[in-house]
Amino acid sequence: MSKSPFISLCTEGTIRNAAESLMAGHLVAFPTETVYGLGADARNPDAVKRIYEVKGRPADHPLIVHISSINQLDKWAQDIPEYAISLARAFWPGPVTLILKRRDIAKDFITGGQETVGLRVPRDPIALALISEFEKISNSAIAAPSANRFGQVSPTSSSDVLEELGDFLTSADLILEGGTSSIGIESTIIDCSGIAPVILRSGYVTKEEIELELGVNNLVEFRETKIKFSGSFEKHYAPKCQVILGNEIIANGAFFALAEIETPIGMVRLASPATVEDFARSLYSTFRLADKEGFSTLNVCIPQGNGIAVALRERLVKAARGR
Ligand code: TXA
Ligand code: MG
């Protein structure tokens, strides 16, 4: 087992140290409002290579480059369509990733050899402080996937990150403590490399909100595409236990539903989120809890309706297909 990384509470000094760690080629896991990310210097091939090793992720999967503001767009992307600028203005900082035509600075080791690069400005204050500080000293940005082992559930707290990656990080790497992720599911990914936007992964920002912003009503979602995005791998988002959707009653099975739904007799309730937003916030921690408590099944009542419920259904259906 390697030496544990250092979990650090965020003070001004910590942010500076963390930026310097990135500069030195180490990894820094940091909070974002969606899920925790595992960051490296986006221009350092050796540092980025370590992300893949620590995650156990195939090297041709592209990484999102996290930038501090819309002013950095031009540095990483070119031929940016008007609609993409509108989306960046409307949703950054926030839980949206835009896929754009790359500039040379975004090398193959970031884009998985594709001609596009994924860019995001998160709104979590610790993430923003870290990215800004790192940009100042490096003329680079932070490449970061979710801070989990490949195919596992995304982490929504620093202790989740430690549990996932502690054995693979070194004592020179850092995990920044920033509380529980306020949204709890990954960013909405919008492909902006064509004449019209395409949603590649649903998230907290919904199809309807994007359409409203762009003044269209026919946005395409999940079109068959050659672009690689990890959401397209069936086993993603799944805990180790079997996820069952609907109202099957399994004696001693774990149960997860909105508070308004009663616990079926004989089942063990793990969480009672009051709203769909709370449901999203507790989804991954409930998956983790079910595994930790040794349940072999987790019965989930899927939230109905539009909005973030769409992103939850997408993840739950994949989780139910399982491993
Ligand atoms: O909320 C999030 O997006 C979190 C936080 C840390 O920012 N990040 C995240 O990263 O979920 P990851 O690597 O676990 O998922 C990002 C997805 C991957 O499936 C990747 O394939 C896709 O974004 N992606 C990145 N660059 C891309 C590109 N150029 N074209 C298509 N998909 C891309
Ligand atoms: Mg991920």
Side-chain angles (χ1 to χ4, degrees):
M1 209 171 106
S2 52
K3 276 182 268 163
S4 289
F6 181 62
I7 292 203
S8 181
L9 294 168
C10 285
T11 61
E12 204 179 318
T14 327
I15 296 290
R16 201 169 322 118
N17 287 343
E20 280 160 11
S21 273
L22 288 169
M23 198 67 202
H26 303 302
L27 303 184
V28 176
F30 60 97
T32 86
E33 69 277 17
T34 56
V35 299
Y36 274 66
L38 178 64
D41 176 351
R43 298 181 71 180
N44 179 338
D46 295 328
V48 170
K49 192 163 161 234
R50 276 205 60 228
I51 289 184
Y52 288 93
E53 287 165 2
V54 166
K55 273 190 70 95
R57 177 173 172 170
D60 60 347
H61 283 212
L63 296 174
I64 297 172
V65 176
H66 294 72
I67 54 177
S68 66
S69 86
I70 194 169
N71 298 335
Q72 301 290 315
L73 248 184
D74 259 355
K75 178 171 173 171
W76 293 88
Q78 56 185 326
D79 300 339
I80 304 167
E82 271 307 311
Y83 72 78
I85 305 274
S86 305
L87 293 175
R89 284 219 180 92
F91 298 116
W92 283 353
V96 165
T97 297
L98 303 180
I99 307 295
L100 291 154
K101 186 165 171 217
R102 69 169 167 179
R103 277 197 194 278
D104 282 348
I105 188 176
K107 299 292 184 208
D108 284 351
F109 64 79
I110 287 293
T111 72
Q114 303 183 81
E115 290 309 314
T116 54
V117 61
L119 296 172
R120 174 171 176 228
V121 180
R123 73 164 167 246
D124 178 279
I126 293 172
L128 271 182
L130 178 66
I131 300 162
S132 303
E133 183 70 22
F134 183 60
E135 281 174 352
K136 258 189 255 161
I137 62 171
S138 70
N139 194 28
S140 184
I142 304 180
S146 53
N148 51 280
R149 292 282 288 169
F150 181 62
Q152 306 293 319
V153 174
S154 293
T156 53
S157 71
S158 58
S159 54
D160 290 350
V161 177
L162 187 62
E163 217 173 84
E164 280 281 328
L165 304 180
D167 287 350
F168 304 92
L169 294 170
T170 72
S171 55
D173 300 319
L174 275 173
I175 301 174
L176 300 184
E177 154 58 24
T180 305
S181 303
S182 61
I183 290 176
I185 59 170
E186 305 81 355
S187 61
T188 308
I189 301 184
I190 312 171
D191 181 2
C192 299
S193 64
I195 48 170
V198 177
I199 300 180
L200 298 182
R201 180 173 74 185
S202 59
Y204 184 77
V205 169
T206 64
K207 179 170 182 265
E208 291 74 22
E209 287 170 309
I210 298 166
E211 287 178 338
L212 192 66
E213 191 51 46
L214 298 178
V216 300
N217 60 8
N218 55 354
L219 203 65
V220 180
E221 278 183 278
F222 319 125
R223 190 198 290 149
E224 279 301 313
T225 166
K226 288 201 185 94
I227 293 173
K228 293 191 198 82
F229 59 106
S230 48
S232 65
F233 288 83
E234 293 301 327
K235 70 175 184 176
H236 269 72
Y237 311 115
K240 293 184 181 64
C241 65
Q242 195 193 344
V243 172
I244 298 167
L245 306 178
N247 298 319
E248 214 173 314
I249 296 173
I250 294 165
N252 303 317
F255 182 75
F256 178 44
L258 284 168
E260 67 201 25
I261 299 168
E262 266 181 52
T263 313
I265 292 166
M267 298 196 72
V268 183
R269 187 173 203 122
L270 297 186
S272 302
T275 63
V276 183
E277 284 73 23
D278 289 341
F279 190 108
R281 216 170 285 132
S282 54
L283 178 69
Y284 291 148
S285 58
T286 303
F287 280 3
R288 283 176 193 280
L289 183 61
D291 284 342
K292 229 175 269 170
E293 306 262 304
F295 288 100
S296 54
T297 57
L298 173 63
N299 191 314
V300 183
C301 295
I302 309 183
Q304 301 302 308
N306 289 334
I308 195 175
V310 174
L312 291 172
R313 285 200 290 276
E314 182 183 316
R315 284 158 179 80
L316 284 168
V317 165
K318 281 179 182 149
R321 288 199 195 120
R323 295 167 180 281

